[in-house]
Every structure is written in C-alpha cells, then in structure tokens.
Amino acid sequence: MDAVSASLDDLPLRSDLRGQMPYGAPQAPLPVALNVNENTHPVPEEVADDILDSVAHALREVNRYPDREFTALREGFADYLGHGLTADHIWAGNGSNEVLQHLLQAFGGPGRTAFGFAPTYSMYPLLTRGTGAEYVSGTRGVDYTLSAESAAEQIADAAPDVTFLCAPNNPTGTPLGVDVIEAVYDATDGIVIVDEAYQEFAPRDSRSALTLLPGRERLVVSRTMSKAFAFAGARVGYLAADPALIDALRLVRLPYHLSALTQAAATAALRHAPEMLAMVDEIVGQRDRISATLDALGYHPYESWTNFVLFSDVDDPAATWQALYEQGVLIRDIGLPRSLRVTAGTEAESTAFLDALASLGPGGAHGVTEERG
C-alpha cells in the first residue's frame, strides 16, 4: 500500500483511551532475562511429556468446540487449592489478566470505580479503563506496607465498586496480612479481589485469603499458573469465589473462551503439581540469596514473599539498567525512585546478575542514559 498510515489521532478512539500507554515490558534476546517475574526453570521433562500426550489427544477432536464449562480443569484447580472448594467455586481464563477482566466486566464498567493501593500491579488501571470504569489509587506506607486501619479508611472514603489487593504485592514483593483483607472487605459493599499470583512463594505457614472465602460472597481470590507452575507461555489464570459470583462471570465471558488445547495442557500440569512446584523452594533460596547479597553490596532490598526482589539506593536506575543490559542481563526499571526490580532465576542466572551488578561499584552505574526499563 502506498498510502500513508493513519495515526491514533485519525481514528474515532474512545476519549478516555486517548493519551494512554499500553502495557509493555522489554522483550530482548539477552542471555539472562530477569525482568518479568517468569519462572526461568523449564518444565520437567516427564511432565512435559504428559502435557504433550494430553494436547495430542485433544487435537484429535479440535474440530469440535471445547467444553464450555472446562469442567475437568475446574475440578483440578479445586483439588489443588483445597480448603473444601469444589468446581462450582472455580473460574479460569487465558491468564489471570483475562480473569480480572471478566471481574471488571461484570462488576465494574462505565460509571463505576476500581481501587488499588499504589504502587501495585500496573495492569489494574489498564484493565479498569479498558472496561470503561474509573481507576482510583490509594497509598501505602514508606516501606510499601499496608495496615488494616489505613486500608479500611481509604476504602471507606473512596467507596469503590471493585477493590484490588495484591498479596503479596507486585512490584514491591510486600506481604499482605489477612487482617488487612478482612478490614477492607468490611469497609466496602463492593467486590474485593485478592490477587495471589505469587502466593506459592510465600512462607509455608502464611495464611491464604482462601481461608476467608466462607460467608464472604463478595470476596475473590485469583491465582495464576504462570509463576510457580512455570506456565507463563500457556496463559492460564484462575480464581476461587462463591458459586453465585462464578455465575456472574458467565454473563461476560466469550463463548468457548478456553481452548481444548489450553484445557488439556493445564489439566495435565495440575496432575503433576508436586513436580511442578518442586522448583519453588530453589527459587525462594535464590531470592533470599539475592536479597542478602544486595544488602552486602550497599543496596536496600525490600522484604519479598514473591519470586523477585525490589531494591533501592540505586544512584541512577536508568544508567544501572543500561549497564546491566550491556552485560547481557535484563532486569526491570519500574519507575520507582532510585529502585530496580530483579526476578530470582536459576542459580547461574542469579549469579550472573549479582556479578554484573557488583562490577558496577557502589550505587550502580552513574551518568545519564536513555531509560530502557
């Protein structure tokens, strides 16, 4: 085509989307990529073989629509989560972002508001605006923690229709106590979503929000297979909630939204949950090693119950990010002052990051460079 391409300004885009930026994290073919909190361990070979067999079997009937209710997968998630949950309490989608989008489509939308405590997961405002609702940001303490009293006061003042609680929080790694969840739930008549994408990396004796579900029909606990299950490329997220809330999500989902191949792969992976989760302890060990080494290098690592570490006291985050990039190490500049975030990878990957950072000297690289994070 010889004609000049149009720009967004030439299109009848919704006014509330003008000037907005899409989600984006650098994807670069570097030897050590530790910027998007992936599980960098490969799926164990024996598990991969079973997944392949299950997908191959599903292919034989791929000419037919998949099970619209993805019954076997919901049963698998219920068994995995425990806490007396059944398939009726479970919903799933193509990644936890789609699950959150379903919730906003059902309980958000034009004329309604969603609320989150900044800094938190960057997709919350994007998903909210994409469904026509308004996003409102609350605040955290100086160490990114959130007290029950402060959270409840902010929610009572804002009166949102949907509240996001990221537990543990992304991008800070901060734990969130069940007392905060209870206080927020009692302070609102709206939907409360507890995003437990990183729950498997929390201490084993920590309480999940799943324990709060009985008797709380407006409470939702969302999870993902991307992190602990090393399934980021498969795009499978899910949630647990009261069966009535699950019925509400059926009103907004697209027909047959989970493909037969996705259902087969995820169901097979859940059959091997112990093997898939065996790498979690190793990742937690590398996370704690990274935190300890960062502290020894003069940085300030924040407490993390996730598979990543946020650290501050970086003199020039953009320059440090660029210097690591040039050494083949990709981490994340998330825009917090004097801070960077790194995913805990394999032992070799974590060592490569720590060695590269140490080579930059105290405070990291200095000087003004183009920000690439």
Side-chain angles (χ1 to χ4, degrees):
M1 296 176 63
D2 295 330
V4 177
S5 296
S7 70
L8 277 179
D9 291 337
D10 300 317
L11 299 175
L13 185 68
R14 282 169 30 192
S15 60
D16 60 312
L17 294 181
R18 291 195 180 278
Q20 301 293 335
M21 297 296 293
Y23 173 85
Q27 288 186 304
L30 295 189
V32 181
L34 301 174
N35 66 320
V36 288
N37 304 338
E38 297 160 320
N39 183 334
T40 64
H41 296 66
V43 174
E45 184 174 355
E46 65 276 12
V47 180
D49 288 342
D50 190 19
I51 293 172
L52 285 171
D53 288 344
S54 297
V55 170
H57 182 78
L59 274 171
R60 297 173 189 167
E61 297 182 356
V62 78
N63 58 308
R64 302 289 188 180
Y65 285 117
D67 175 11
R68 185 175 58 246
E69 296 302 315
F70 45 99
T71 307
L73 180 56
R74 289 164 64 205
E75 290 172 347
F77 282 131
D79 289 342
Y80 169 69
L81 292 177
H83 296 284
L85 297 171
T86 66
D88 291 340
H89 296 89
I90 303 297
W91 190 250
N94 295 285
S96 60
N97 287 325
E98 184 178 59
V99 167
L100 298 178
Q101 184 181 58
H102 286 166
L103 288 163
L104 287 165
Q105 287 174 315
F107 300 103
R112 296 193 172 194
T113 59
F115 187 100
F117 295 93
T120 192
Y121 184 36
S122 62
M123 280 302 299
Y124 297 157
L126 292 178
L127 289 167
T128 299
R129 296 184 189 116
T131 54
E134 178 187 359
Y135 187 80
V136 179
S137 289
T139 59
R140 295 173 176 269
V142 293
D143 56 354
Y144 303 124
T145 57
L146 189 60
S147 71
E149 181 181 9
S150 173
E153 288 179 357
Q154 292 183 61
I155 292 298
D157 289 342
D161 298 285
V162 178
T163 300
F164 290 104
L165 295 173
C166 198
N169 189 50
N170 177 18
T172 63
T174 316
L176 186 76
V178 293
D179 61 321
V180 179
I181 300 169
E182 290 175 310
V184 167
Y185 187 89
D186 291 341
T188 178
D189 293 327
I191 299 297
V192 177
I193 303 169
V194 184
D195 183 353
E196 290 191 341
Y198 298 92
Q199 178 62 31
E200 284 91 346
F201 300 98
R204 296 289 173 83
D205 59 353
S206 63
R207 279 183 67 190
S208 164
L210 293 170
T211 62
L212 302 178
L213 283 174
R216 293 181 174 90
E217 71 279 358
R218 294 179 288 105
L219 183 64
V220 180
V221 182
S222 69
R223 294 276 187 103
T224 180
M225 296 187 77
S226 294
K227 312 303 180 181
F229 274 82
F231 234 48
R235 311 308 302 129
V236 183
Y238 57 105
L239 63 77
D242 188 272
L245 192 145
I246 303 301
D247 283 340
L249 302 183
R250 288 187 173 91
L251 301 175
V252 298
R253 60 100 177 266
L254 294 175
Y256 313 105
H257 72 286
L258 275 178
S259 77
L261 306 186
T262 297
Q263 293 183 42
T267 302
L270 284 170
R271 289 198 297 266
H272 297 273
E275 299 100 303
M276 295 289 277
L277 296 175
M279 63 194 86
V280 168
D281 288 342
E282 180 181 344
I283 294 169
V284 168
Q286 292 305 315
R287 177 198 70 197
D288 294 344
R289 172 194 172 211
I290 288 172
S291 293
T293 306
L294 285 169
D295 184 66
L297 291 173
Y299 298 97
H300 173 64
Y302 291 90
E303 181 183 11
S304 175
W305 282 17
T306 64
N307 70 335
F308 59 84
V309 179
L310 176 73
F311 60 102
S312 62
D313 293 346
V314 183
D315 291 339
D316 188 334
T320 299
W321 185 94
Q322 183 68 39
L324 293 172
Y325 183 96
E326 291 170 357
Q327 294 192 54
V329 177
L330 183 61
I331 65 171
R332 190 77 178 268
D333 183 348
I334 54 176
L336 294 178
R338 303 188 69 217
S339 300
L340 291 168
R341 191 191 72 188
V342 60
T343 306
T346 63
E347 181 178 3
E349 290 169 331
S350 300
T351 297
F353 159 69
L354 292 170
D355 287 350
L357 186 65
S359 73
L360 303 180
H366 302 271
V368 178
T369 64
E370 179 186 0
E371 184 170 344
R372 295 281 302 280

